[in-house]
């Protein structure tokens, strides 16, 4: 690789990292605003204009708080838990195509940090490792409530990953690739995958909610029945890491949903505008972020609409409804592809 | 049995159909409800800048009124303390000495008049019991304090200022009904 490419990728890496953290930071603010608006309140409006400095204040509070590691806890694992959660959450951003190609000095740079040909599998792998963060955190606390919360989280994630995988298989059947950049390129104009896989999209969306531990599937954390779930024993910034990782996960899954089903950075009608390629790329990226923000809003919207599922309801929905639906969807898609080939 | 509201529903334990058990129609219905609230007018009142308007007959902190010439109306008859269900009012009476006619309206007055704001339930019975129009509840709030004993309010806090423009307006509380009630000589405390 040339020096210029390495430099560009490094800068891109840094920018994406900062954007991820910023979006996650302001997602906490947005979450509170959305919650307030849906409940006819105003939300944070004291710290800065519109309460925009609220995330900074929250962060400062988290850093200033006393840090406690319980005496009976396994110190190494206890520290490892939030680190794994945070690291895996940040790693996923590397393979998402954030935009088209930029041309600088007659050289073409892609706005994707690395174009893995097994992109989707990489995401699945990272999300699965994310369970370890929660599980280890719950285990290392040496607390029955934390352990129960962690077990709930793990069982939930395992159950929903199956249905998620099935919905992805239908997508792979039609696109014929696992690389995210190719999947996006096939969706130019209005050829968004949502129109070809509506059922698959719904299954994927529901599973994404469950994978992010977002309401109505936020079983791992529960104030009433398990005191606080897997992070009961955590304090100060370790707790902050867990909560922050959740928001990063939300941002990444919103990005994945828009990439897989909503055409990623492709904007319909943009070719009629007659713009230079670089400007088009930037507008595309902005459009991509609009889609992401919409899905983040959807996450919050659902959170403040639905109550939390009971554990047996969650398992019923995952194993008895979504899994069969996913299989049926896969068979129908495969059948249509076969018929198309022979007829 | 008579229903308490028109919104009550009969609970049934019937099995959910497939579409119901997938929850989606109900979820979408719920999401429409919440998004309607998203754009609704907010009910919040930003407290330091805005204040909620209190009712004209709000029963807040007490005031001991002076008459037009600035003399204390209270004659320490003790009816307010007697009528107080929380027993929050205590007073010590004294006789007016020559030369104090400009301070107290009648021969007897209260040297100490205390209301324990922690005991007071702001029922307004003292106001109704008073035959001299001396004690009223106002729309002022009792301030928060750090110590229990500072909640015992003496005359320094209760008696309204001498200056005419700083007097506390209680005209809204003296509704025609109240004035009529005070004239009724059949009631013992008005005699």
């Amino acid at each position: 690789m040339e020096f210029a490419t390495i430099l560009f990728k490094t800068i891109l890496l840094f920018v994406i990292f900062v954007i991820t953290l910023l979006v996650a930071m302001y997602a906490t603010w947005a979450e509170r605003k959305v919650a307030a608006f849906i409940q006819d309140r105003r939300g944070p409006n004291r710290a800065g204009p519109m309460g925009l400095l609220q995330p900074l204040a929250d962060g400062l509070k988290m850093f200033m708080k006393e840090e406690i590691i319980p005496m009976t806890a396994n110190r190494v694992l206890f520290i490892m838990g939030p680190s794994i959660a945070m690291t895996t959450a940040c790693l996923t951003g590397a393979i998402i195509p954030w935009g088209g190609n930029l041309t600088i000095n007659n050289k073409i740079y892609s706005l994707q940090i690395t174009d893995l040909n097994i992109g989707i599998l990489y995401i699945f792998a990272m999300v699965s490792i994310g369970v370890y963060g929660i599980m280890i955190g719950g285990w290392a606390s040496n607390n029955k409530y934390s352990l129960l919360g962690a077990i709930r989280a793990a069982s939930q994630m395992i159950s929903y990953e199956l249905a998620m995988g099935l919905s992805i298989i239908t997508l792979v059947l039609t696109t014929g690739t696992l690389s995210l950049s190719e999947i996006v390129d096939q969706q130019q104009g209005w050829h968004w995958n949502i129109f070809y896989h509506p059922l698959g999209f719904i299954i994927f969306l529901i599973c994404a909610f469950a994978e992010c531990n977002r309401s109505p599937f936020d079983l791992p954390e529960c104030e009433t029945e398990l005191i606080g779930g897997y992070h009961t024993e955590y304090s100060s910034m370790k707790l902050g890491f867990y909560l922050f990782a959740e928001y990063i996960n939300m941002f990444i899954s919103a990005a994945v949903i828009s990439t897989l089903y909503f055409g990623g950075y492709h904007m319909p009608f943009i070719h009629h505008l007659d713009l230079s390629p670089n400007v088009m790329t930037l507008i595309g990226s902005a459009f991509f972020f609009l889609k992401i923000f919409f899905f983040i809003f959807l996450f919050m919207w659902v959170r403040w609409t639905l109550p939390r599922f009971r554990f047996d309801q969650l398992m019923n929905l995952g194993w008895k409804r979504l899994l069969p639906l996913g299989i049926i969807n896969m068979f129908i898609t495969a059948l249509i592809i076969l018929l198309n080939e022979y007829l | 049995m008579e229903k308490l509201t028109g919104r009550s529903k009969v609970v049934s334990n019937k099995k959910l159909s497939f579409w119901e058990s997938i929850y989606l129609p109900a979820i979408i219905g719920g999401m429409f409800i919440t998004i309607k609230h998203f754009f609704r007018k907010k009910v919040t009142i930003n407290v330091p800048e805005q204040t909620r308007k209190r009712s004209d007959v709000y029963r807040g902190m007490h005031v001991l009124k002076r008459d037009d010439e600035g003399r204390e109306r209270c004659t320490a008859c003790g009816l307010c303390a007697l009528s107080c269900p929380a027993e929050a009012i205590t007073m010590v009476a004294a006789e007016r000495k020559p030369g104090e006619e400009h301070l107290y309206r009648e021969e007897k007055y209260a040297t100490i008049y205390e209301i324990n704001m922690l005991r007071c339930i702001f029922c307004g019975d003292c106001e109704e019991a008073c035959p001299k129009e001396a004690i009223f509840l106002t729309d002022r709030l009792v301030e928060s304090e750090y110590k229990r004993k500072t909640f015992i309010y003496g005359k320094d806090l209760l008696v309204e200022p001498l200056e005419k423009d700083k007097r506390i307006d209680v005209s809204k509380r003296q509704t025609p009904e109240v004035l009529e009630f005070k004239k009724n000589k059949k009631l013992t405390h008005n005699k």
Side-chain angles (χ1 to χ4, degrees):
Chain A
M1 237 191 281
E2 280 175 61
F3 175 72
T5 322
I6 292 172
L7 186 72
F8 181 80
K9 292 289 181 195
T10 314
I11 292 170
L12 185 66
L13 193 78
F14 189 72
V15 168
I16 296 294
F17 185 63
V18 168
I19 286 178
T20 310
L21 294 187
L22 265 183
V23 170
M25 207 164 118
Y26 275 92
T28 61
W29 170 84
E31 173 97 67
R32 294 171 68 177
K33 274 285 186 195
V34 169
F37 277 23
I38 279 174
Q39 294 163 355
D40 295 342
R41 299 183 282 113
R42 282 177 200 279
N45 60 356
R46 296 288 142 163
M50 308 246 309
L52 275 172
L53 297 179
Q54 193 70 42
L56 294 178
D58 287 342
L60 191 70
K61 186 195 81 177
M62 282 284 188
F63 275 113
M64 304 297 260
K65 277 197 166 182
E66 188 188 357
E67 195 163 329
I68 299 165
I69 298 180
M71 258 175 62
T72 50
N74 184 329
R75 286 185 70 94
V76 179
L77 290 182
F78 194 80
I79 295 167
M80 225 160 96
S83 325
I84 290 178
M86 193 73 178
T87 317
T88 50
C90 288
L91 276 175
T92 335
I95 53 142
I96 288 166
W98 300 99
N101 295 318
L102 274 183
T103 315
I104 307 166
N105 287 337
N106 292 325
K107 274 193 63 117
I108 294 172
Y109 300 100
S110 145
L111 275 182
Q112 185 182 15
I113 295 169
T114 169
D115 184 12
L116 286 183
N117 53 4
I118 50 156
I120 297 176
L121 291 183
Y122 175 83
I123 291 180
F124 268 66
M126 279 305 142
V127 168
S128 311
I129 293 174
V131 185
Y132 281 81
I134 291 174
M135 198 64 216
I136 287 175
W139 172 260
S141 302
N142 200 3
N143 174 337
K144 298 284 183 294
Y145 292 107
S146 304
L147 186 61
L148 276 173
I151 288 173
R152 272 164 52 144
S155 56
Q156 166 189 333
M157 285 191 147
I158 290 166
S159 327
Y160 277 80
E161 223 156 80
L162 285 167
M164 198 184 209
L166 282 174
S167 65
I168 285 297
I169 285 177
T170 52
L171 196 74
V172 172
L173 276 175
T174 50
T175 53
T177 175
L178 287 168
S179 153
L180 284 178
S181 61
E182 274 184 54
I183 289 176
V184 170
D185 273 337
Q186 288 173 7
Q187 302 182 65
Q188 273 182 9
W190 278 112
H191 295 288
W192 290 1
N193 278 329
I194 170 83
F195 303 121
Y196 304 111
H197 301 284
L199 185 58
F201 165 67
I202 290 170
I203 296 172
F204 187 84
L205 187 71
I206 294 172
C207 295
F209 275 81
E211 291 283 318
C212 289
N213 297 326
R214 289 289 297 185
S215 171
F217 305 105
D218 52 348
L219 289 191
E221 44 195 292
C222 38
E223 304 77 37
T224 43
E225 61 263 43
L226 291 182
I227 306 178
Y230 61 92
H231 52 53
T232 304
E233 298 286 0
Y234 281 90
S235 56
S236 104
M237 207 53 209
K238 289 206 196 73
L239 173 70
F241 263 28
Y242 269 130
L243 304 182
F244 209 58
E246 186 191 318
Y247 282 96
I248 296 177
N249 276 332
M250 195 165 81
F251 172 60
I252 295 295
S253 43
V256 171
I257 292 169
S258 351
T259 310
L260 292 182
Y261 288 97
F262 287 86
Y265 51 81
H266 285 303
M267 191 174 162
F269 311 121
I270 196 168
H271 291 285
H272 302 293
L273 288 177
D274 202 30
L275 296 163
S276 74
N278 275 356
V279 175
M280 239 160 69
T281 302
L282 290 178
I283 290 178
S285 290
F287 194 56
F288 185 47
F289 271 92
L290 264 184
K291 288 175 193 171
I292 292 174
F293 290 150
F294 171 76
F295 278 104
I296 292 179
F297 175 71
L298 187 78
F299 270 93
M300 292 167 181
W301 185 6
V302 169
R303 173 166 181 187
W304 298 106
T305 304
L306 296 180
R308 183 181 294 142
F309 272 111
R310 220 168 49 210
F311 190 62
D312 61 315
Q313 289 172 333
L314 175 98
M315 284 298 164
N316 270 339
L317 184 67
W319 289 97
K320 291 188 185 166
R321 306 273 174 250
L322 293 182
L323 197 63
L325 266 181
I327 293 173
I328 291 168
N329 188 30
M330 189 178 77
F331 269 111
I332 292 173
T333 319
L335 204 68
I336 291 172
I337 291 171
L338 263 184
L339 287 177
N340 267 345
E341 273 183 23
Y342 285 103
L343 296 178
Chain B
M1 205 175 78
E2 199 186 338
K3 284 177 181 171
L4 289 173
T5 65
R7 294 190 296 175
S8 63
K9 276 181 186 161
V10 179
V11 180
S12 78
N13 277 332
K14 80 171 175 62
K15 278 248 174 205
L16 295 178
S17 70
F18 182 78
W19 274 111
E20 280 171 330
S21 67
I22 235 166
Y23 303 113
L24 274 181
I27 288 170
I28 291 164
M31 286 172 75
F32 268 107
I33 291 172
T34 41
I35 202 70
K36 259 190 276 171
H37 279 270
F38 192 87
F39 297 108
R40 241 184 228 174
K41 198 167 164 284
K42 310 299 169 217
V43 293
T44 313
I45 292 167
N46 291 321
V47 161
E49 298 95 45
Q50 298 173 333
T51 44
R52 192 192 292 275
K53 195 186 172 298
R54 280 191 281 275
S55 155
D56 290 338
V57 289
Y58 183 86
R59 294 198 291 244
M61 190 177 132
H62 316 67
V63 62
L64 286 173
K65 294 293 284 178
R66 293 174 186 275
D67 70 356
D68 297 339
E69 294 158 46
R71 301 176 298 187
E72 281 177 29
R73 283 172 165 269
C74 179
T75 62
C77 64
L79 279 174
C80 49
L82 193 68
S83 72
C84 182
E87 301 187 356
I89 304 176
T90 48
M91 67 183 76
V92 174
E95 204 173 330
R96 184 178 70 186
K97 297 194 175 61
E100 288 182 337
E101 284 85 357
H102 64 288
L103 288 176
Y104 311 111
R105 189 158 145 163
E106 300 191 25
E107 288 96 50
K108 207 173 122 200
Y109 72 97
T111 46
I112 298 170
Y113 191 106
E114 284 177 347
I115 302 178
N116 186 338
M117 290 297 175
L118 290 175
R119 303 202 61 154
C120 178
I121 56 169
F122 301 96
C123 61
D125 277 6
C126 49
E127 182 183 14
E128 281 187 21
C130 184
K132 297 293 180 187
E133 309 269 294
I135 188 164
F136 283 98
L137 295 170
T138 62
D139 59 355
R140 295 178 300 166
L141 295 178
V142 178
E143 302 279 319
S144 47
E145 306 275 356
Y146 287 104
K147 286 179 180 159
R148 296 181 74 86
K149 61 180 176 187
T150 49
F151 275 105
I152 298 169
Y153 281 25
K155 273 177 86 174
D156 50 333
L157 291 164
L158 293 171
V159 181
E160 67 178 346
L162 256 175
E163 295 82 13
K164 277 252 163 80
D165 53 322
K166 285 185 192 165
R167 298 273 179 93
I168 290 149
D169 180 29
V170 291
S171 55
K172 278 179 183 150
R173 301 193 65 81
Q174 290 169 308
T175 53
E177 290 80 25
V178 172
L179 292 172
E180 198 59 36
F181 176 77
K182 300 254 175 179
K183 275 183 213 154
N184 188 352
K185 296 292 174 195
K186 273 183 196 161
L187 295 165
T188 45
H189 70 256
N190 284 347
K191 273 175 189 167

